[in-house]
């Protein structure tokens, strides 16, 4: 890649590293997943190097608008591929006949714009026989609905936006008999997903090797020993104080011995082809190997020399002394026990039985009732014996497709994190946002479209400058993003594009005097042209605000009670924002920003959230511990804007965050400094907790739950800090997660009375006593704040020992380092 052509851009080092990792994995795992990873990161690297992909842009692929769904690798890197750019199936092509078009995909899309195609789309929509995998799949379905319901102008306008891509992208839904869930039930996986997972459950390698040894190689070994024993005249060889005693092999002949030898060799070769000959029996000095080599050497044992026969005699003596002679009671008892082990059903065999049961259900739906799928194995159902129970591990995989209310899935452990909750909440949001549609068919399309959009992976956004309409328009027309006809080249050092350097982020004052930055953002649902077109079906009357408010409140409480130690992940913030909008609330919900791409500026909603936090948390433990400014601080109009540190002076919120980072000795512009600044933004805003509790009037409910939730969270902090690690990166993650959970606990403790707060501090001190003193100063600092004290600007109490617990610091974090 060092010989790039002019115009190619330098490849981001992260992409190089991921490609190296994928190639390294491929050397030990040549499976489909490993190959797919290599292909994906190879495409990322090639796309950046050739200028087809722009790292950090919300329009990363040249020549396509933002609404097109790109393939996105881990970390938000676009590969240059488009998920809707797939070849038509034979079934699709058979239906379109001789419809003209420049490509096969264009022929299919144009056919669906004709009368016959429109009729087929409408029938599929009415009967629910469709599936939307990526958002583009719903585009022509929306066109068909618009035409059918008399919205011709909107349909024509939508077609005009799709025309430039009819030759490339699939704009039609996939056929599927989908059973759509209604009400409050959600699912994490579909039945088809779970069946696929169960089908691929395998016997672990060591267990498979043990079963092959006991079920295949041991019987072959016994036959081999018996063959050689038949050639001994007199007592069989055995051991006496380590010396071999007894008769010698090849001293007796038996009719048919040669034919039995040939059958054994054939059976051995067949077993080796099927199972491979590995393990202890295959060792060249094993009894098995010595007897087999001697058997292969000649069809007549008498043809072996004295030395070779001596090794055979020694091998026979070893096995008869250890396990008994063939046919003896001792040897038969041992083999019976081993046969029982082999006959026992494996977890994989039962999983395959359950997979066949699940495959009889509609694949794109969930599972309403688990019990019929969890009964004991019946006769003829598979390799598992009749009456075998379904193990808990298989039942756990099955539960991932269970359709049930969210709180039930949390109770069962199916939803085990806030991130998983964020993955299922869109199902409720989709129904809520579609509930006000007057046309039930349009509501179904909207719901399927919304869920497909929420599966879209976010992009890495490095260019946080203003995204202009001209930028988007030029990209839609196929020009380079800068409108010059030249491709961007990403500069890893500055985050800018060349040859035309972009302007720094522009700021302006909104009507309330707060600075407003036009920061780049992920593509929003309403940016999809066909999503906007569907709005004509929304009723102008009641919009179900009360229902959206109820779902939002229940979801926030569930998140807080199930995962009190976790800050709200960005996907969950997005869902809360959608529900809040449907409920008629304008909430300043803030996201978690990655420290390595942060450009040290915040939009107005961070200051608005901080205003709420200062108001709600005034005179509480949280305000004392984190030294929150009073609410009046945020009423101060911003000063006259001047140059500051070589750039335009930041808004008051950004400036305050930057000043507060000095406590962590992290006031630089590197990743650690950015992380410390972002942590301060979370502290000042309580990372959405105060905004949500205040807007949804959850104060009384949180006050009731707070003692238990705070205790659970503090115990989690102790468990998080308990493991010792030598990895610097792992220590950073450990300290950050613990400090963020500590902040959540202090927020909850602020709703507790002073006696409860003291009790929680004491319990934490006791629980943390096994951490070699690493948490002592933090616990002492918490007690200091509980008793009404405050910290100095450097984060210490007057005793010089008790301190505030922050997650980001320069160098090794004190909470992960032993004293001294």
């Amino acid at each position: 890649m060092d010989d790039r052509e002019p115009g190619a851009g330098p490849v981001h080092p992260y992409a190089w590293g991921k490609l190296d990792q994928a190639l390294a994995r491929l050397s030990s795992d040549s499976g489909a997943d490993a190959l797919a990873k290599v292909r994906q990161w190879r495409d990322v690297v090639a796309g950046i190097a050739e200028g087809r992909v722009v790292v950090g842009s919300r329009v990363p692929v040249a020549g396509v608008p933002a609404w097109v769904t790109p393939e996105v690798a881990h970390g938000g890197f676009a590969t240059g591929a488009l998920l809707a750019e797939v070849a038509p199936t034979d079934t699709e092509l058979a239906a379109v006949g001789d419809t003209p078009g420049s490509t096969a995909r264009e022929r299919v899309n144009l056919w669906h714009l004709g009368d016959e195609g429109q009729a087929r789309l409408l029938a599929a929509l009415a009967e629910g026989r469709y599936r939307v995998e990526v958002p583009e799949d719903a585009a022509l379905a929306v066109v068909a609905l618009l035409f059918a319901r008399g919205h011709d102008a909107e349909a024509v306008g939508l077609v005009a936006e799709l025309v430039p891509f009819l030759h490339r992208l699939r704009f039609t839904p996939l056929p599927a008999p989908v059973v759509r869930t209604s009400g409050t039930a959600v699912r994490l996986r579909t039945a088809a997903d779970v069946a696929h997972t169960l089908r691929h459950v395998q016997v672990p390698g060591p267990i498979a090797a043990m079963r092959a040894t006991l079920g295949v190689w041991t019987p072959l070994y016994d036959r081999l020993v018996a063959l050689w024993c038949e050639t001994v005249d007199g007592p069989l060889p055995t051991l006496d104080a380590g010396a071999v005693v007894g008769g010698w092999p090849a001293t007796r002949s038996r009719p048919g011995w040669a034919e039995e030898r040939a059958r054994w060799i054939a059976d051995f070769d067949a077993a080796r082809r099927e199972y491979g000959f590995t393990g202890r029996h295959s060792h060249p000095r094993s009894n098995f190997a010595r007897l087999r080599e001697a058997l292969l050497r000649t069809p007549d044992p008498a043809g072996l020399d004295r030395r070779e026969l001596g090794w055979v005699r020694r091998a026979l003596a070893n096995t008869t002394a250890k396990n008994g002679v063939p046919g003896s009671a001792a040897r038969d008892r041992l083999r019976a026990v081993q046969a029982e082990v082999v006959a026992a059903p494996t977890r994989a065999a039962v999983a395959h039985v359950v997979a066949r049961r699940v495959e009889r259900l509609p694949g794109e739906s969930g599972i309403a009732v688990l019990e019929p799928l969890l009964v004991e194995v019946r006769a003829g159902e598979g390799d598992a014996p009749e009456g075998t129970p379904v193990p808990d591990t298989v039942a756990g995989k099955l539960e991932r497709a269970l359709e049930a209310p969210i709180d039930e899935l949390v109770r069962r452990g199916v939803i085990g994190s806030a991130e998983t909750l964020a993955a299922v909440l869109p199902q409720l949001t989709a129904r809520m946002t579609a509930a006000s549609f007057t046309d039930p068919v349009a509501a179904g399309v909207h719901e399927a479209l919304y869920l497909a959009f929420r599966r879209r992976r976010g992009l890495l956004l490095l260019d946080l400058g203003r995204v202009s309409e001209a930028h988007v328009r030029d990209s839609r027309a196929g020009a380079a993003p800068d409108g010059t006809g030249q491709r961007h080249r990403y500069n890893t050092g500055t985050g800018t594009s060349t040859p035309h350097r972009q302007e720094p982020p522009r700021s302006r004052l909104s009507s309330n005097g707060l600075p407003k930055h036009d920061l780049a953002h992920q593509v929003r649902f309403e940016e999809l042209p066909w999503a906007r077109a569907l709005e004509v079906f929304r009723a102008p009357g009641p919009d179900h605000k009360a229902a959206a408010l109820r779902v939002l409140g229940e979801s926030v409480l569930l998140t807080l009670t199930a995962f009190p130690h976790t800050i709200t992940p960005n996907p969950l913030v997005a869902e809360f924002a959608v529900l809040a909008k449907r409920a008629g609330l304008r909430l300043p919900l803030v996201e978690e920003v990655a420290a390595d791409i942060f450009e040290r500026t915040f939009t107005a909603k961070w200051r608005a959230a901080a205003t709420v936090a200062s108001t709600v948390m005034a005179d509480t433990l949280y305000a004392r511990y984190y030294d929150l400014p009073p609410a009046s601080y945020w009423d101060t109009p911003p000063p006259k804007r001047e140059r500051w540190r070589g750039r335009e002076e930041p808004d008051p919120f950004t400036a305050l965050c930057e000043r507060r980072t000095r406590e962590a000795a992290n006031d630089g512009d590197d990743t650690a400094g950015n992380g410390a600044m972002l942590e301060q933004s979370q502290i000042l805003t309580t990372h959405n907790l105060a905004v949500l509790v205040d807007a949804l009037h959850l104060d009384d409910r949180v006050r009731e739950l707070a003692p238990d939730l705070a205790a659970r969270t503090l115990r989690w902090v102790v468990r998080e800090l308990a493991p010792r690690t030598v990895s610097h990166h792992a220590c950073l993650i450990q300290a950050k997660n613990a400090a963020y959970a500590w902040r959540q606990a202090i927020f909850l403790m602020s709703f507790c009375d002073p006696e409860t707060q003291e009790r929680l501090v004491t319990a934490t001190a006791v629980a943390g006593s096994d951490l070699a003193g690493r948490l002592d100063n933090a616990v002492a600092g918490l007690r200091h704040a509980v008793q009404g004290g405050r910290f100095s600007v450097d984060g210490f109490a007057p005793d010089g020992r008790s301190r505030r617990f922050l997650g980001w610091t320069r160098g090794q974090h004190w909470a992960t380092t032993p004293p001294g």
Side-chain angles (χ1 to χ4, degrees), residues 131-135 137 170 174 452 455:
R131 183 173 80 253
V132 178
E133 285 189 353
V134 294
D137 293 344
R170 183 181 67 205
L174 288 80
R455 290 193 293 268

Side-chain angles (χ1 to χ4, degrees), residues 223-282:
R223 286 172 55 191
L224 180 61
V225 171
L227 266 175
W228 279 109
C229 286
E230 290 177 0
T231 68
V232 178
D233 186 19
L236 294 176
T238 188
L239 297 178
D240 182 9
V244 179
V245 297
W248 277 78
T251 56
R252 187 179 71 166
S253 62
R254 180 179 66 80
W257 190 92
E259 290 76 7
E260 193 170 337
R261 166 188 174 273
R263 283 194 296 271
W264 187 93
I265 293 173
D267 291 345
F268 175 86
D269 290 341
R272 181 168 56 181
R273 286 191 298 270
E274 182 173 356
Y275 298 100
F277 189 46
T278 58
R280 59 186 179 87
H281 283 322
S282 65

Side-chain angles (χ1 to χ4, degrees), residues 452-722:
F453 178 78
R454 282 304 180 205
R455 290 193 293 268
R456 175 174 172 147
R457 298 191 67 175
L459 290 161
L460 172 64
L461 298 180
L462 294 173
D463 174 16
L464 297 182
R466 183 172 182 268
V467 180
S468 68
E469 288 299 320
H471 184 123
V472 176
R473 184 174 59 251
D474 290 340
S475 297
R476 181 179 298 131
D482 59 10
T484 64
Q486 304 181 59
R487 299 197 183 278
H488 278 281
R489 292 189 297 162
Y490 177 69
N491 185 313
T492 57
T494 64
T496 61
S497 300
T498 58
H500 295 277
R501 182 182 179 91
Q502 295 186 355
E503 298 177 2
R506 302 178 185 176
S507 302
R508 63 176 184 273
L509 297 183
S510 60
S511 58
N512 60 5
L514 297 178
K516 183 177 181 181
H517 296 273
D518 289 322
L519 301 186
H521 54 77
Q522 300 291 341
V523 175
R524 293 168 177 156
F525 181 67
E526 56 268 21
E527 292 183 62
L528 305 182
W530 51 100
R532 292 196 306 271
L534 272 175
E535 290 299 308
V536 299
F537 297 107
R538 196 180 294 279
D543 57 357
H544 303 270
K545 289 183 178 179
L549 187 63
R550 184 184 69 254
V551 172
L552 176 58
E554 291 173 353
S555 300
V556 169
L557 272 178
L558 182 63
T559 304
L560 194 59
T561 54
F563 317 109
H565 59 280
T566 305
I567 65 173
T568 315
N570 288 348
L572 205 52
V573 172
E575 291 307 312
F576 287 168
V578 172
L579 287 169
K581 182 178 179 181
R582 296 299 304 147
L585 300 176
R586 297 179 60 85
L587 304 184
L589 299 177
V590 297
E591 300 82 11
E592 183 180 17
V593 182
D596 55 352
I597 66 169
F598 179 51
E599 294 200 351
R600 304 180 77 81
T601 187
F602 296 95
T603 57
K605 68 179 178 182
W606 264 268
R607 183 176 179 182
T611 303
V612 175
S614 291
T615 302
V616 172
M617 305 310 295
D619 301 320
T620 66
L621 171 63
Y622 189 97
R624 291 195 303 276
Y625 188 88
Y626 289 113
D627 194 23
L628 287 191
S632 59
Y633 174 87
W634 303 111
D635 294 333
T636 305
K640 181 180 178 180
R641 308 192 70 76
E642 299 175 354
R643 301 298 291 178
W644 183 79
R645 287 194 177 186
R647 64 180 188 272
E648 194 176 65
E649 182 180 3
D651 65 277
F653 181 84
T654 301
L656 181 59
C657 288
E658 196 147 359
R659 286 198 299 272
R660 289 167 63 103
T661 61
R662 296 166 191 169
E663 176 181 335
N666 264 343
D667 56 350
D669 291 343
D670 58 0
T671 298
N674 287 347
M677 187 170 173
L678 289 167
E679 183 177 15
Q680 290 300 325
S681 76
Q682 293 176 348
I683 289 171
L684 292 173
T685 63
T686 69
H687 196 69
N688 301 314
L689 290 177
V691 169
L692 290 168
V693 169
D694 179 61
L696 301 176
H697 306 293
L698 299 176
D699 313 58
D700 292 340
R701 187 73 176 119
V702 171
R703 190 170 291 108
E704 176 186 345
L705 298 169
D708 175 63
L709 297 180
R712 285 168 50 195
T713 304
L714 290 169
R715 288 196 298 269
W716 186 92
V717 171
V718 174
R719 291 196 304 271
E720 176 69 9
L721 291 175

Side-chain angles (χ1 to χ4, degrees), residues 14-164:
Y14 181 87
W16 275 123
K18 296 300 287 187
L19 178 58
D20 287 342
Q21 290 177 15
L23 289 170
R25 178 187 172 190
L26 190 62
S27 63
S28 59
D29 179 5
S30 58
D33 290 345
L35 288 170
K37 284 292 184 186
V38 170
R39 192 275 307 165
Q40 197 175 63
W41 285 107
R42 182 198 62 205
D43 290 350
V44 169
V45 169
I48 298 172
E50 296 166 7
R52 293 181 288 104
V53 173
V54 180
V55 174
S57 170
R58 72 191 301 270
V59 190
V61 182
V64 299
W67 52 257
V68 174
T69 308
E71 181 186 40
V72 180
H74 182 77
F77 285 80
T79 68
L82 308 177
L83 294 186
E85 191 169 11
V86 293
T89 64
D90 292 340
T91 303
E92 288 179 290
L93 292 175
V96 303
D98 58 356
T99 303
S102 61
T103 66
R105 176 53 66 191
E106 186 172 40
R107 290 173 56 211
V108 172
N109 283 329
L110 290 176
W111 183 81
H112 282 93
L113 286 171
D115 292 342
E116 187 179 354
Q118 295 269 293
R120 182 172 294 186
L121 277 176
L122 290 171
L125 298 181
E127 298 170 13
R129 295 183 290 100
Y130 66 94
R131 183 173 80 253
V132 178
E133 285 189 353
V134 294
E136 287 87 333
D137 293 344
L140 291 185
V142 174
V143 171
L145 271 177
L146 292 170
F147 276 128
R149 305 300 193 260
H151 301 286
D152 293 3
E154 290 84 354
V156 170
L158 176 55
V159 170
E161 291 203 62
L162 301 178
V163 162

Side-chain angles (χ1 to χ4, degrees), residues 274-487:
E274 182 173 356
Y275 298 100
F277 189 46
T278 58
R280 59 186 179 87
H281 283 322
S282 65
H283 192 280
R285 294 185 180 180
S286 69
N287 296 328
F288 194 126
R290 292 193 186 280
L291 294 176
R292 171 178 167 267
E293 288 300 320
L295 191 74
L296 294 177
R297 198 175 306 279
T298 175
D300 183 4
L304 299 174
D305 61 31
R306 187 73 172 177
R307 180 175 178 276
E308 291 171 322
L309 289 175
W311 281 118
V312 171
R313 185 170 181 250
R314 163 63 73 171
L316 292 177
N318 289 340
T319 187
T320 57
K322 181 178 180 181
N323 298 320
V325 300
S328 67
R331 199 176 188 101
D332 288 346
R333 282 195 300 271
L334 174 63
R335 297 309 185 223
V337 172
Q338 293 173 340
E340 289 180 4
V341 172
V342 174
T346 64
R347 182 171 61 92
V350 180
H352 299 165
V353 169
V354 176
R356 283 191 287 274
R357 295 173 178 175
V358 176
E359 287 166 350
R360 291 193 285 268
L361 302 175
E364 296 304 317
S365 70
I367 301 173
V369 182
L370 296 178
E371 284 70 20
L373 303 172
L374 295 174
V375 297
E376 295 178 346
V377 176
R378 294 182 288 266
E381 278 200 292
D383 296 334
E386 181 180 2
T388 302
V390 176
D392 291 342
T393 52
V394 173
K397 295 180 185 299
L398 202 61
E399 278 188 320
R400 296 176 69 80
L402 175 65
E403 285 185 343
I406 287 181
D407 56 349
E408 171 69 9
L409 297 183
V410 170
R411 185 186 65 79
R412 287 173 173 261
V414 177
I415 297 176
S417 68
E419 288 76 10
T420 306
L421 177 61
V424 300
L425 189 58
Q427 296 172 45
L428 290 183
T429 308
R431 290 171 213 149
M432 189 61 57
T433 56
S436 59
F437 276 61
T438 55
D439 188 315
V441 176
V445 174
H446 185 278
E447 181 178 335
L449 172 58
Y450 184 86
L451 289 174
F453 178 78
R454 282 304 180 205
R455 290 193 293 268
R456 175 174 172 147
R457 298 191 67 175
L459 290 161
L460 172 64
L461 298 180
L462 294 173
D463 174 16
L464 297 182
R466 183 172 182 268
V467 180
S468 68
E469 288 299 320
H471 184 123
V472 176
R473 184 174 59 251
D474 290 340
S475 297
R476 181 179 298 131
D482 59 10
T484 64
Q486 304 181 59
R487 299 197 183 278

